C-alpha cells in the first residue's frame, strides 16, 4: 500500500504507500536525505526522528530535462517485500492539505491483503477502507527488475480506476526509498515513499513531497501496520 497523491482528492483525506510530537507537527519538515527514520507509537501519538544505520539508500538525481535517475542499493533484492505477505490492519495518519501550509492531521483505519506473483519477481496488495462514508479500495502492484535490481511500485484506486506512472527505488537493508513525479495542488513534485521494516511485525510506511527538486521534503502520510 503506497498511497499516492490522487487519494487525497477524496473529501475525507483532503487534497494522493507525523514527525516528532504529532500534535505540534510542522508542515514544512525538512528531512536530510539518508538520515531519517520515524518510529510511530502504538497510539499513533508520537513519532521520533532517528538516524538510519548502514549505507546510503537508493539515490536519485535529476537530468537537465527534469527526469529522475534512480540507483539501486547494494543490498537490493527481489525478497525485499517478503515481510508484507499476508493480511494486515493499518492505522493511517495523513496531512489534510499537503503543500498548503496546513498543520491539520487526521487518522483512519484500513485493512490490506498482500500476496506474491511472478515467481517472486512481483507482488500486489489490496487496500480497503471507507472514505466519506463510502467504500474505497486501492491496488498496489510492485515489480522487481533483476537487471537493474530496482523495484517499480504502481498504484490504482477506486476513484481513478487506472495505474499511475510508478515509483522506483530499492531497499538498503531494512529501509527502502522509492521516487516518482506527480502534480499535487497544481505543483510538479517529487514523491518519496519510505518503508521501515526493522520490526517486520509492525512495519511503517511514510510518504513525502518535494516541490523544490528534492532540497526539502514535506512528510504527509504515515501508516503503521499490525498483523490480523
Amino acid at each position: 500500500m503506497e498511497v499516492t497523491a490522487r487519494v487525497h482528492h477524496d473529501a475525507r483525506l483532503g487534497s494522493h504507500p507525523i514527525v516528532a510530537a504529532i500534535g505540534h507537527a510542522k508542515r514544512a519538515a525538512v528531512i536530510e536525505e539518508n538520515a531519517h527514520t520515524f518510529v510511530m507509537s502504538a497510539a499513533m501519538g508520537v513519532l521520533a526522528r532517528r538516524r538510519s544505520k548502514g549505507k546510503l539508500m537508493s539515490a536519485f538525481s535529476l537530468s537537465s530535462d527534469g527526469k529522475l535517475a534512480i540507483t539501486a542499493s547494494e543490498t537490493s533484492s527481489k525478497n525485499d517485500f517478503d515481510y508484507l505477505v499476508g493480511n494486515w490492519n493499518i492505522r493511517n495518519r495523513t496531512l489534510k492539505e499537503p503543500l498548503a501550509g496546513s498543520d491539520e492531521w487526521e487518522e483512519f483505519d484500513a485493512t490490506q491483503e498482500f500476496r506474491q506473483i511472478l515467481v517472486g519477481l512481483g507482488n500486489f496488495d489490496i487496500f480497503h477502507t471507507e472514505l466519506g462514508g463510502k467504500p474505497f479500495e486501492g491496488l498496489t502492484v510492485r515489480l522487481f527488475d533483476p537487471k537493474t535490481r530496482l523495484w517499480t511500485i504502481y498504484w490504482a484506486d477506486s476513484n481513478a480506476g487506472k495505474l499511475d506512472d510508478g515509483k522506483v527505488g530499492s531497499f538498503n537493508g531494512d529501509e527502502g526509498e522509492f521516487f516518482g513525479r506527480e502534480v499535487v495542488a497544481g505543483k510538479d513534485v517529487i514523491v518519496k515513499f519510505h518503508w521501515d521494516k526493522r520490526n517486520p511485525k509492525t512495519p511503517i510506511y511514510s510518504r513525502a513531497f518535494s516541490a523544490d527538486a528534492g532540497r526539502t521534503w514535506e512528510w504527509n502520510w504515515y501508516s503503521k501496520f499490525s498483523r490480523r
Side-chain angles (χ1 to χ4, degrees), residues 32 42 47 60 63 85-86 89 94 117 141 159 161 180 206 209 221:
E32 296 180 3
L47 283 175
F60 79 91
S63 62
V85 172
N89 293 314
T94 64
I117 54 175
V141 178
N159 286 343
S206 53
F209 295 156
W221 189 300

Side-chain angles (χ1 to χ4, degrees), residues 70-73 76 144-151 168:
I70 314 296
T71 303
S73 72
S76 182
F144 182 78
D145 185 333
K147 293 182 179 179
T148 64
R149 295 182 300 107
L150 288 168
W151 285 92
V168 179

Side-chain angles (χ1 to χ4, degrees), residues 79-166:
N79 303 116
D80 284 332
F81 283 101
D82 288 0
Y83 69 100
L84 276 180
V85 172
N87 300 325
W88 298 86
N89 293 314
I90 309 171
R91 185 64 173 169
N92 302 280
R93 190 173 183 96
T94 64
L95 188 63
K96 293 179 70 173
E97 295 185 61
L99 303 178
S102 172
D103 284 341
E104 294 186 65
W105 297 81
E106 59 185 1
E107 300 180 16
F108 67 98
D109 293 312
T111 61
Q112 175 181 291
E113 299 90 42
F114 179 107
R115 61 166 292 185
Q116 294 177 319
I117 54 175
L118 304 179
V119 196
L121 287 177
N123 57 68
F124 74 90
D125 66 60
I126 302 178
F127 174 86
H128 308 272
T129 191
E130 188 175 278
L131 302 177
K134 298 180 180 180
F136 175 89
E137 285 191 347
L139 168 70
T140 303
V141 178
R142 304 174 190 83
L143 300 174
F144 182 78
D145 185 333
K147 293 182 179 179
T148 64
R149 295 182 300 107
L150 288 168
W151 285 92
T152 302
I153 300 172
Y154 301 95
W155 166 265
D157 60 52
S158 53
N159 286 343
K162 63 180 180 179
L163 290 173
D164 66 10
D165 294 332

Side-chain angles (χ1 to χ4, degrees), residues 3-224:
V3 186
T4 62
R6 197 163 53 243
V7 175
H8 288 280
H9 294 298
D10 184 278
R12 176 171 178 177
L13 293 184
S15 68
H16 183 291
I18 320 177
V19 290
I22 286 301
H24 303 287
K26 297 297 183 180
R27 183 195 67 85
V30 179
I31 309 299
E32 296 180 3
E33 273 303 297
N34 308 313
H36 82 279
T37 302
F38 289 91
V39 178
M40 194 179 302
S41 71
M44 296 288 289
V46 177
L47 283 175
R49 181 176 171 178
R50 299 177 61 187
R51 292 190 173 272
S52 302
K53 297 180 180 180
K55 300 178 182 179
L56 291 177
M57 301 169 66
S58 54
F60 79 91
S61 59
L62 292 174
S63 62
S64 58
D65 59 359
K67 292 183 178 181
L68 294 172
I70 314 296
T71 303
S73 72
E74 294 179 4
T75 66
S76 182
S77 163
K78 71 174 186 176
N79 303 116
D80 284 332
F81 283 101
D82 288 0
Y83 69 100
L84 276 180
V85 172
N87 300 325
W88 298 86
N89 293 314
I90 309 171
R91 185 64 173 169
N92 302 280
R93 190 173 183 96
T94 64
L95 188 63
K96 293 179 70 173
E97 295 185 61
L99 303 178
S102 172
D103 284 341
E104 294 186 65
W105 297 81
E106 59 185 1
E107 300 180 16
F108 67 98
D109 293 312
T111 61
Q112 175 181 291
E113 299 90 42
F114 179 107
R115 61 166 292 185
Q116 294 177 319
I117 54 175
L118 304 179
V119 196
L121 287 177
N123 57 68
F124 74 90
D125 66 60
I126 302 178
F127 174 86
H128 308 272
T129 191
E130 188 175 278
L131 302 177
K134 298 180 180 180
F136 175 89
E137 285 191 347
L139 168 70
T140 303
V141 178
R142 304 174 190 83
L143 300 174
F144 182 78
D145 185 333
K147 293 182 179 179
T148 64
R149 295 182 300 107
L150 288 168
W151 285 92
T152 302
I153 300 172
Y154 301 95
W155 166 265
D157 60 52
S158 53
N159 286 343
K162 63 180 180 179
L163 290 173
D164 66 10
D165 294 332
K167 311 296 181 291
V168 179
S170 63
F171 271 83
N172 182 359
D174 290 335
E175 296 182 75
E177 291 192 337
F178 308 85
F179 302 90
R181 282 195 175 279
E182 291 186 20
V183 176
V184 180
K187 300 176 182 178
D188 181 18
V189 303
I190 299 174
V191 181
K192 173 164 60 175
F193 296 162
H194 183 88
W195 275 103
D196 181 346
K197 60 175 181 176
R198 288 176 299 170
N199 184 346
K201 295 182 179 180
T202 56
I204 296 172
Y205 161 81
S206 53
R207 187 192 67 186
F209 295 156
S210 176
D212 56 10
R215 289 186 291 275
T216 62
W217 297 91
E218 177 195 82
W219 293 92
N220 52 66
W221 189 300
Y222 293 82
S223 300
K224 182 177 180 179

